[in-house]
């Protein structure tokens, strides 16, 4: 005869809200990286270019069209 045994699962205790002080520096860093990415995809060409040549423009060219930024 076989006996069926069950193991008790640990009760999960809900965790309180995450303090804003812990999340804020990461949110600011993510926002700055996002703004930098939007600049390179959307505005890095012509008069607003930070780098000479068209290397950055060509690198993000397809992403520029995908996101709807005018290019040509």
């Amino acid at each position: 005869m076989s006996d069926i045994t069950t193991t008790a699962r640990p009760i999960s205790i809900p965790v309180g809200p995450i303090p804003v002080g812990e999340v804020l520096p990461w949110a600011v860093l993510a926002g700055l990286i996002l703004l930098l990415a939007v600049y390179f995809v959307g505005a890095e060409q012509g008069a607003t270019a930070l780098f000479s040549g068209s290397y950055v423009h060509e690198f993000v060219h397809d992403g520029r069209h995908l996101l709807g930024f005018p290019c040509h």
Side-chain angles (χ1 to χ4, degrees):
M1 195 180 264
S2 63
D3 292 330
I4 299 174
T5 58
T6 61
T7 57
R9 293 184 186 174
I11 298 173
S12 60
I13 300 171
V15 179
I18 300 172
V20 175
E22 291 182 17
V23 175
L24 188 61
W26 292 105
V28 169
L29 178 64
L32 289 174
I33 290 172
L34 179 66
L35 285 174
L36 187 65
V38 167
Y39 168 77
F40 279 119
V41 170
E44 176 62 31
Q45 68 179 14
T48 61
L50 295 177
F51 302 102
S52 63
S54 61
Y55 298 110
V56 175
H57 173 81
E58 294 301 325
F59 183 73
V60 297
H61 190 91
D62 292 336
R64 183 180 303 252
H65 289 296
L66 181 68
L67 294 174
F69 285 98
C71 184
H72 304 282

